[in-house]
C-alpha cells in the first residue's frame, strides 16, 4: 500500500505524534493505540494517546495504559502528526477531535465499512478483523522489532474485536498475525484472565438486571435488552460494564438482529448485532455506523421512543432483505 509508506515517512520525521481512538474505547482501540505508541517510542519518537473517555478496567493491565491521557482542553497541541485508530468518522473521537483537527498532518487507520475517509492519509480496510492487523503492518514497515509488550497489545485487539477468533471478520491473515504475535511473546494467559475470564460482581449483577428486560419482538426476529442509569447505579456498575451484553439478545435462535439500548446523558446509545443483515446501514439511518454485523448509534429521544424507532427500522431492514 503506497499510503502506508507515506505514513511511515511522516511518522519517522515527526518528533511528537498524537494518537486517538473512539469514545467508549474497546480492546481494539486501546490495544492498537498502545502498540503504536510502543513502536514509536522504540524509534525515539514521542507520542500521546488522548481519549475522551476513561480506559475500561479490563485493559489497565496493558503496558503503558497508565500513560493514556483523558481529554482535557488544557492538553497542549504540539504534535507534528496525528493518527486516529478505529474511528469511522471524526465524531467518534468525541472532544479529542478538537486536538486531532488542528494537527498539521492527519492519518486515519480503520477497518469500518462506514469510514468517511476524513484524513490526509487514510488506511481503511474493512476486510481486517481488527485495526490491529493494520497497525501490525505499520509497525513492521516502521522497522520496529516486535517485543512482548507490542505483541500483547496487538493480540488483545485481535482477540476482542474478533470475539476470540470466532466472528466472520476472522481471516487467515488474522490467524497469521496472531501466530506471529504469540511468537513474539504475546501474553495469552494474562489477556484471557484479565479480559475474558474475570468479571466484577457489579458486572455479573448487571447481566442479571439486563436480562430481566429482554424482549423478543417481530415474530422472533428482533430481540433487545435495556440498561438504564438506575440499573447501573443499583449494580454499582460503570457505563463500560455493558460491554458484551448485546451478545444475549443476538444469540437467541431465530433472532436476526439483537439490540442493546443504553441510557447515556439524556440520549440513548444503541448497539446493533446481526447474524447476516447489514446493520451498519440501519445504524446510519440514525447518524451512526460501524461494521456489517456490529454497529451503533445514538438516538436523541426518550427510551420508549428510541426503542420504537430503532425496532421499526430493523423490522423494515429485515423485510427489505428478504
Ligand atoms: P458497540 O455497539 O460495541 O458500541 O459498537 C459496535 C460497532 O459499531 C463498533 O465497531 C463501533 O465502532 C461502531 N459504533 C458504535 N457506535 C457508533 C456510533 O455512534 N457511530 C458510528 N459511526 N459507529 C458506531
Ligand atoms: Mn475495531
Amino acid at each position: 500500500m503506497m499510503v502506508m509508506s507515506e505514513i511511515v515517512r511522516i511518522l519517522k520525521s515527526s518528533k511528537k505524534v498524537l494518537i486517538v481512538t473512539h469514545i467508549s474505547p474497546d480492546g481494539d482501540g486501546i490495544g492498537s493505540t498502545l502498540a503504536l505508541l510502543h513502536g514509536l517510542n522504540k524509534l525515539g519518537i514521542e507520542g500521546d494517546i488522548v481519549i475522551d473517555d476513561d480506559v475500561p478496567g479490563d485493559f489497565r493491565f496493558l503496558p503503558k495504559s497508565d500513560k493514556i491521557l483523558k481529554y482535557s482542553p488544557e492538553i497542549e497541541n504540539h504534535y507534528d502528526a496525528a493518527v486516529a485508530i478505529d474511528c469511522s468518522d471524526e465524531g467518534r473521537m468525541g472532544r479529542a477531535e478538537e486536538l486531532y483537527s488542528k494537527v498539521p498532518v492527519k492519518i486515519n487507520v480503520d477497518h469500518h465499512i462506514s469510514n468517511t475517509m476524513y484524513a490526509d492519509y487514510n488506511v481503511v480496510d474493512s476486510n481486517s478483523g481488527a485495526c490491529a492487523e493494520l497497525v501490525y503492518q505499520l509497525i513492521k514497515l516502521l522497522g520496529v522489532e516486535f517485543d512482548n509488550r507490542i505483541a500483547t497489545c496487538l493480540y488483545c485487539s485481535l482477540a476482542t474485536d474478533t470475539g476470540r477468533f470466532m466472528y466472520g471478520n476472522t481471516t487467515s491473515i488474522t490467524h497469521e498475525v496472531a501466530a506471529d504475535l504469540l511468537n513474539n511473546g504475546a501474553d495469552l494467559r494474562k489477556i484471557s484472565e484479565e479480559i475474558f475470564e474475570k468479571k466484577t460482581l457489579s458486572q455479573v449483577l448487571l447481566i442479571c438486571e439486563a436480562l430481566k428486560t429482554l424482549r423478543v419482538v417481530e415474530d422472533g426476529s428482533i430481540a433487545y435488552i435495556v440498561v438504564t442509569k438506575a440499573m447501573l447505579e443499583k449494580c454499582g456498575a460503570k457505563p463500560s460494564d455493558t460491554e458484551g451484553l448485546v451478545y444475549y439478545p443476538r444469540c437467541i435462535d431465530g433472532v436476526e438482529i439483537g439490540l442493546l439500548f443504553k441510557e447515556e446523558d439524556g440520549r440513548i446509545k444503541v448497539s446493533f448485532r446481526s447474524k447476516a443483515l447489514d446493520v451498519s446501514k440501519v445504524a446510519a439511518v440514525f447518524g451512526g455506523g460501524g461494521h456489517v454485523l456490529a454497529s451503533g448509534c445514538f438516538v436523541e429521544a426518550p427510551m420508549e421512543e428510541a426503542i420504537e424507532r430503532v425496532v421499526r427500522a430493523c423490522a423494515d431492514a429485515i423485510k427489505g432483505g428478504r
Side-chain angles (χ1 to χ4, degrees):
M1 244 197 254
M2 277 290 284
V3 64
M4 272 284 202
S5 35
E6 278 294 290
I7 293 171
V8 166
R9 189 185 54 76
I10 291 160
L11 292 178
K12 280 194 157 172
S13 60
S14 298
K15 279 204 186 72
K16 189 150 189 174
V17 176
L18 171 71
I19 308 171
V20 302
T21 188
H22 55 86
I23 49 171
S24 306
D26 57 10
D28 192 21
I30 301 281
S32 294
T33 52
L34 280 171
L36 181 59
L37 179 68
H38 283 287
L40 292 175
N41 288 171
K42 282 183 90 162
L43 295 173
I45 302 161
E46 284 182 71
D48 281 341
I49 299 175
V50 179
I51 307 180
D52 187 16
D53 223 324
D54 292 314
V55 176
D58 290 2
F59 305 121
R60 296 221 185 101
F61 74 98
L62 289 173
K64 291 202 189 193
S65 58
D66 57 326
K67 300 273 187 293
I68 294 176
L69 302 175
K70 186 167 180 176
Y71 173 83
S72 124
E74 271 90 65
I75 296 176
E76 221 181 295
N77 202 335
H78 47 199
Y79 305 104
D80 308 305
V83 186
I85 301 181
D86 211 26
C87 295
S88 52
D89 59 68
E90 294 129 302
R92 294 287 292 148
M93 301 171 201
R95 289 172 302 166
E97 190 205 349
E98 288 167 25
L99 282 169
Y100 180 86
S101 65
K102 295 194 184 88
V103 177
V105 188
K106 291 178 254 313
I107 296 161
N108 161 22
V109 178
D110 187 35
H111 68 145
H112 289 95
I113 197 162
S114 59
N115 193 286
T116 58
M117 304 290 187
Y118 49 84
D120 304 312
Y121 299 90
N122 302 284
V123 177
V124 178
D125 181 4
S126 61
N127 294 316
S128 292
C131 288
E133 290 178 26
L134 301 169
V135 174
Y136 168 86
Q137 296 297 343
L138 181 57
I139 291 174
K140 270 204 148 169
L141 290 171
L142 279 165
V144 174
E145 212 171 294
F146 280 74
D147 59 26
N148 61 342
R149 295 171 309 167
I150 294 176
T152 299
C153 292
L154 289 179
Y155 195 97
C156 157
S157 300
L158 287 183
T160 51
D161 247 29
T162 60
R164 288 186 258 183
F165 308 96
M166 214 172 56
Y167 301 152
N169 58 359
T170 311
T171 66
S172 59
I173 295 173
T174 317
H175 281 289
E176 277 166 20
V177 173
D180 196 33
L181 296 175
L182 287 173
N183 286 334
N184 280 290
D187 193 343
L188 177 62
R189 219 30 256 145
K190 188 92 178 147
I191 291 168
S192 301
E193 262 169 40
E194 294 291 332
I195 301 176
F196 301 114
E197 290 168 12
K198 191 170 79 183
K199 292 218 182 287
T200 61
L201 175 60
S202 297
Q203 286 170 327
V204 176
L205 292 174
L206 187 64
I207 296 173
C208 298
E209 281 299 306
L211 287 180
K212 287 186 208 156
T213 70
L214 177 71
R215 296 284 177 280
V216 182
V217 295
E218 299 292 327
D219 297 325
S221 63
I222 298 171
Y224 64 85
I225 55 176
V226 174
V227 172
T228 61
K229 281 200 150 166
M231 287 162 66
L232 290 180
E233 271 165 36
K234 184 178 170 192
C235 302
K238 296 189 288 291
S240 60
D241 289 337
T242 57
E243 181 70 33
L245 284 178
V246 68
Y247 160 82
Y248 295 99
R250 180 196 178 270
C251 77
I252 299 166
D253 195 19
V255 165
E256 293 181 48
I257 301 178
L259 301 164
L260 165 69
F261 294 91
K262 180 176 158 190
E263 200 176 59
E264 238 184 63
D265 301 322
R267 55 185 189 164
I268 307 299
K269 163 79 204 277
V270 189
S271 289
F272 300 73
R273 297 293 186 273
S274 135
K275 287 176 186 160
L277 216 106
D278 185 352
V279 281
S280 77
K281 289 193 185 136
V282 189
V285 172
F286 300 93
H291 305 290
V292 172
L293 303 182
S295 63
C297 69
F298 289 93
V299 181
E300 309 270 349
M303 183 63 85
E304 286 311 315
E305 188 187 327
I307 293 173
E308 203 217 303
R309 284 169 56 190
V310 171
V311 167
R312 197 174 339 116
C314 288
D316 289 347
I318 290 171
K319 279 178 203 126
R322 282 200 183 116

